[in-house]
Amino acid sequence: MCGIVAYIGYREACPIIIKGLRRLEYRGYDSAGVALLNGDLNVYKKKGKVAELETFIKEKDTHANVGMGHTRWATHGEPNDTNAHPHYSTSERIAIIHNGIIENYAALKQHLQHQGHVFQSDTDTEVFVNLIEEIQRQNHCTLEEAVRLALHEVVGAYAIVVLSRDEPNQLIAARKGSPMVIGIGKDEFFIASDATPIIEYTNEVVYVNDYEIAIIRDGKLDIRSKEDVHQTPYIQKLEMELDSIEKGGYEHFMLKEIFEQPRSILDSMRGRLELVAGHLNMGGIRAYERKFMNADRIIIVACGTSWHAGLVAEYLLEDLARIPVEVEYASEFRYRNPVITERDIVIAISQSGETADTLAAIELAKSKGATIFGICNVVGSSIARATDAGAYTHAGPEIGVASTKAFTAQVTVLTILAMIVGHKRGTLSDTRLQELMVELGSIPAKVEKALLLNDEIELIAETFKDVPNFLYLGRGYNFPVALEGALKLKEISYIHAEGYPAAEMKHGPIALIDENMPVVVIATKDSSYEKVVSNIQEVKARKGRIIAVVTEGDQVIPQMAEFVIEVPATSEVLVPLVSVIPLQLLSYHIAVLRGCNVDQPRNLAKSVTVE
């Protein structure tokens, strides 16, 4: 989950690396550091945000054309100056930055201590760099060969960049299970965890595959397998624009991304929803249509917000396509012995396309013969390459750690998938399909209208910014929205919040309700409306403070709720795309009013690339 960035070329490396680290700070912000190679190999690092590092190095010698940097999300060892990356080897001849976890580091460390290596930090990464140094000492080999041999000994996930004082003007990088992209410029190269630090300088990139080693030396890029077999890199063109990773006048990335949703939802439909022609298209399933038509079951694996999108998809696929669906936490799915057959389809959902648990779940399902369909946002990501087929959400970069537009983009793509499969299976009639297509086409405008509630929701946030607990209730398609609303509040405001199916309130949570408990009820007009009204009455009878999200024009619930947020009417199957918007805004404004770091909430990172 850490962010890595490196540069080799004709420019000053340090400013490029620092700017890159700022753009990668959503991946980790416990500490940051740089290593610069210019005769000497100098490492500067500091606990805290990248800004702390910038201040620290102002008086340092940072002149170099080769260097690398790291922003950390702590796994092994608490956040402090010593545990920050980069890490020196014992002799300080070699330095490394690392994203991932080395699972057998303890045994390796013990062995290296017996060889005379002295460790300064509590990290697994320092073990990695000393292993490289020890292999080089014993074998009298090049750094490249030492790195290759070390990769045969480590167990776990890694994206690494290595520098050596004795072999200047080269960068060596490798990956397994953690993302890495190399930008190719004119007489210069860039390495990063994702494309955000690179797009300013080049739009030509190579995505490094698992078990590959990249050697950049003498102005050339050489990619080899762990067995030292030359690999021909595939150069891709980035479609990302620089302004998409800037705040664009918004106070926070999260707010910008909430307000981008009319556009990101539209982009998720682009080329897939053809209203004039009356067609739906999804190229990713074309070769696997028969698999979807004949599937015994669909299993959805995901984590966090993507898991909530998967829950919405369960309702969609069972409702429209009449296929049994199970939604699994990828982190649990991989550690039991699930029953999977060749007639199952596994849908893996991940914004980053790099989620470690979801990747592991994919590998498990593939080993059982299931067809794997991926839904992710990042082109060239690991999940996009590991699946049989899939669809990109095209939501654009999401920098805020708490996902917002990723959720609605995922739900949009899953909705189109369910509609296509349902129509092909004959469970969704031509008439119903056309109705849903027209309604789906109207969603961006309805989301835009829901965003006009921003000022009204900010006032509600003022009332509840200091409460310790929240409940969120929803039924049917709005139950996953309740879970997502509660997660957003927990993530960025640090208020304890729980989401429940509204009917489950009587089975325990109702004991928590008193005059101090805010209860957010998603109560749009749908098939469960009357039941939700009854649930609201139960909360009101116990003096709970009700915040109701209702359909415009509702005359009943405003008589019961303390606060009412009206959203545009839409089809029941599409309502999560609209009803989630006020919950995102509510969590955002409460967090801002509490003085929380909205874009970089404590203990969290955007892309969970380690277990």
Side-chain angles (χ1 to χ4, degrees):
M1 289 194 283
C2 307
I4 63 174
V5 59
Y7 175 79
I8 184 168
Y10 58 89
R11 309 184 204 223
E12 283 290 321
C14 192
I16 293 170
I17 293 166
I18 292 294
K19 185 183 287 187
L21 291 179
R22 286 201 300 265
R23 289 181 177 161
L24 288 175
E25 201 163 20
Y26 68 90
R27 298 182 64 89
Y29 30 89
D30 295 334
S31 58
V34 295
L36 301 168
L37 183 57
N38 185 23
D40 289 331
L41 178 57
N42 295 313
V43 169
Y44 308 119
K45 51 189 184 175
K46 201 72 181 165
K47 177 185 175 182
K49 303 289 180 66
V50 174
E52 302 288 333
L53 175 65
E54 286 185 87
T55 301
F56 178 63
I57 65 174
K58 276 182 179 176
E59 305 303 321
K60 306 290 186 183
D61 177 13
T62 60
H63 174 65
N65 301 119
V66 183
M68 60 189 186
H70 186 276
T71 182
R72 183 174 186 242
W73 187 87
T75 52
H76 294 78
E78 67 179 70
N80 58 32
D81 291 355
T82 303
N83 289 330
H85 296 213
H87 286 285
Y88 277 128
S89 62
T90 299
S91 70
E92 298 190 358
R93 292 186 303 103
I94 304 171
I96 193 172
I97 53 176
H98 170 219
N99 175 23
I101 289 179
I102 303 306
E103 295 172 9
N104 62 334
Y105 84 100
L108 291 171
K109 184 174 184 177
Q110 188 175 39
H111 168 73
L112 290 165
Q113 285 172 325
H114 289 151
Q115 300 298 318
H117 289 269
V118 178
F119 291 85
Q120 307 298 323
S121 75
D122 301 317
T123 68
D124 55 336
T125 303
E126 192 181 7
V127 174
F128 206 154
V129 71
N130 278 303
L131 175 63
I132 294 168
E133 179 170 86
E134 181 62 22
I135 288 172
Q136 192 173 26
R137 183 188 68 80
Q138 290 184 7
N139 293 276
H140 306 288
C141 59
T142 64
L143 181 66
E144 174 189 340
E145 183 62 20
V147 170
R148 182 176 296 109
L149 292 171
L151 296 182
H152 286 279
E153 295 194 30
V154 296
V155 177
Y158 54 81
I160 60 168
V161 182
V162 184
L163 285 174
S164 172
R165 185 183 64 201
D166 298 338
E167 299 180 50
N169 301 315
Q170 80 170 354
L171 288 172
I172 296 179
R175 70 151 283 186
K176 178 206 164 193
S178 293
M180 177 177 286
V181 59
I182 299 176
I184 302 172
K186 184 173 174 55
D187 301 320
E188 60 184 348
F189 294 88
F190 308 81
I191 301 175
S193 297
D194 64 40
T196 54
I198 293 173
I199 188 61
E200 183 173 345
Y201 308 100
T202 179
N203 66 349
E204 292 191 339
V205 299
V206 171
Y207 291 95
V208 182
N209 295 311
D210 277 352
Y211 303 107
E212 288 184 340
I213 303 168
I215 305 100
I216 303 172
R217 184 171 50 221
D218 299 326
K220 296 178 181 178
L221 170 64
D222 183 17
I223 295 183
R224 296 184 169 270
S225 70
K226 202 164 65 169
E227 288 71 37
D228 200 23
V229 178
H230 175 74
Q231 308 293 300
T232 301
Y234 173 64
I235 299 174
Q236 292 188 223
K237 295 278 189 182
L238 289 174
E239 297 180 3
M240 186 188 304
E241 299 293 336
L242 184 59
D243 61 1
S244 69
I245 58 172
E246 305 292 346
K247 288 183 183 175
Y250 288 90
E251 186 177 356
H252 298 97
F253 279 110
M254 182 180 179
L255 187 62
K256 175 184 181 238
E257 288 154 7
I258 290 172
F259 274 84
E260 283 177 342
Q261 287 175 109
R263 171 65 183 273
S264 58
I265 291 171
L266 186 63
D267 287 343
S268 298
M269 299 178 195
R270 199 178 303 279
R272 293 167 176 159
L273 177 65
E274 298 182 5
L275 285 175
V276 175
H279 292 307
L280 287 172
N281 301 300
M282 188 170 285
I285 68 166
R286 203 163 290 138
Y288 292 88
E289 271 187 11
R290 189 172 296 279
K291 289 275 191 180
F292 274 95
M293 299 312 106
N294 299 322
D296 287 341
R297 176 181 58 158
I298 292 175
I299 303 168
I300 297 174
V301 292
C303 301
T305 287
S306 295
W307 188 79
H308 296 156
L311 284 180
V312 176
E314 180 179 21
Y315 285 87
L316 287 163
L317 286 160
E318 292 195 342
D319 189 358
L320 303 181
R322 308 306 296 153
I323 302 175
V325 178
E326 296 176 16
V327 184
E328 300 266 6
Y329 285 112
S331 54
E332 288 297 310
F333 182 79
R334 63 179 295 194
Y335 284 117
R336 56 186 182 81
N337 188 22
V339 178
I340 307 170
T341 75
E342 293 177 359
R343 290 176 59 86
D344 290 332
I345 290 175
V346 173
I347 298 177
I349 311 172
S350 167
Q351 188 282 140
S352 67
E354 302 291 348
T355 309
D357 287 319
T358 306
L359 278 164
I362 288 170
E363 293 307 315
L364 174 61
K366 285 173 76 172
S367 72
K368 306 284 188 180
T371 299
I372 317 296
F373 189 86
I375 294 176
C376 59
N377 189 37
V378 180
V379 175
S381 58
S382 297
I383 286 176
R385 287 179 283 167
T387 50
D388 297 311
Y392 289 117
T393 55
H394 300 300
E398 188 178 64
I399 307 300
V401 166
S403 283
T404 50
K405 66 176 181 175
F407 175 79
T408 51
Q410 289 167 352
V411 170
T412 300
V413 170
L414 289 161
T415 301
I416 293 171
L417 175 66
M419 290 163 65
I420 290 172
V421 175
H423 190 241
K424 292 285 185 182
R425 285 171 59 89
T427 56
L428 184 62
S429 69
D430 291 347
T431 302
R432 180 71 173 133
L433 177 67
Q434 294 302 315
E435 289 173 354
L436 286 177
M437 286 175 63
V438 170
E439 189 57 33
L440 183 59
S442 73
I443 289 295
K446 291 182 177 181
V447 169
E448 191 127 32
K449 190 173 183 182
L451 289 167
L452 297 176
L453 301 166
N454 183 53
D455 292 347
E456 176 185 331
I457 292 168
E458 187 173 6
L459 292 175
I460 297 173
E462 282 275 6
T463 302
F464 294 103
K465 65 182 176 65
D466 295 319
V467 300
N469 300 287
F470 259 81
L471 284 178
Y472 286 72
L473 305 177
R475 293 183 91 131
Y477 282 93
N478 277 322
F479 163 51
V481 176
L483 294 176
E484 177 62 11
L487 177 62
K488 285 287 117 8
L489 191 68
K490 278 184 279 197
E491 284 180 310
I492 62 170
S493 74
Y494 319 138
I495 293 174
H496 174 251
E498 297 295 337
Y500 287 94
E504 285 297 302
M505 181 182 61
K506 296 188 291 292
H507 298 276
I510 199 167
L512 298 172
I513 296 175
D514 59 19
E515 66 275 10
N516 299 312
M517 175 65 80
V519 182
V520 178
V521 186
I522 304 104
T524 52
K525 284 283 182 72
D526 56 30
S527 58
S528 302
Y529 177 76
E530 298 300 333
K531 298 291 186 182
V532 176
V533 169
S534 296
N535 298 138
I536 291 174
Q537 290 171 331
E538 292 164 352
V539 174
K540 186 175 176 64
R542 288 153 183 84
K543 299 182 180 178
R545 305 191 69 180
I546 300 162
I547 306 165
V549 178
V550 304
T551 303
E552 281 179 331
D554 190 308
Q555 299 296 312
V556 177
I557 294 176
Q559 306 302 314
M560 296 182 281
E562 183 177 355
F563 297 95
V564 174
I565 303 168
E566 292 191 346
V567 296
T570 190
S571 166
E572 182 172 355
V573 303
L574 303 177
V575 77
L577 293 167
V578 177
S579 61
V580 76
I581 303 300
L583 306 189
Q584 294 172 346
L585 289 168
L586 181 64
S587 65
Y588 170 79
H589 286 299
I590 287 176
V592 170
L593 289 167
R594 287 167 65 87
C596 300
N597 189 332
V598 171
D599 286 334
Q600 297 173 354
R602 69 188 182 204
N603 303 332
L604 296 177
K606 183 67 177 172
S607 179
V608 185
T609 58
V610 296
E611 284 190 61

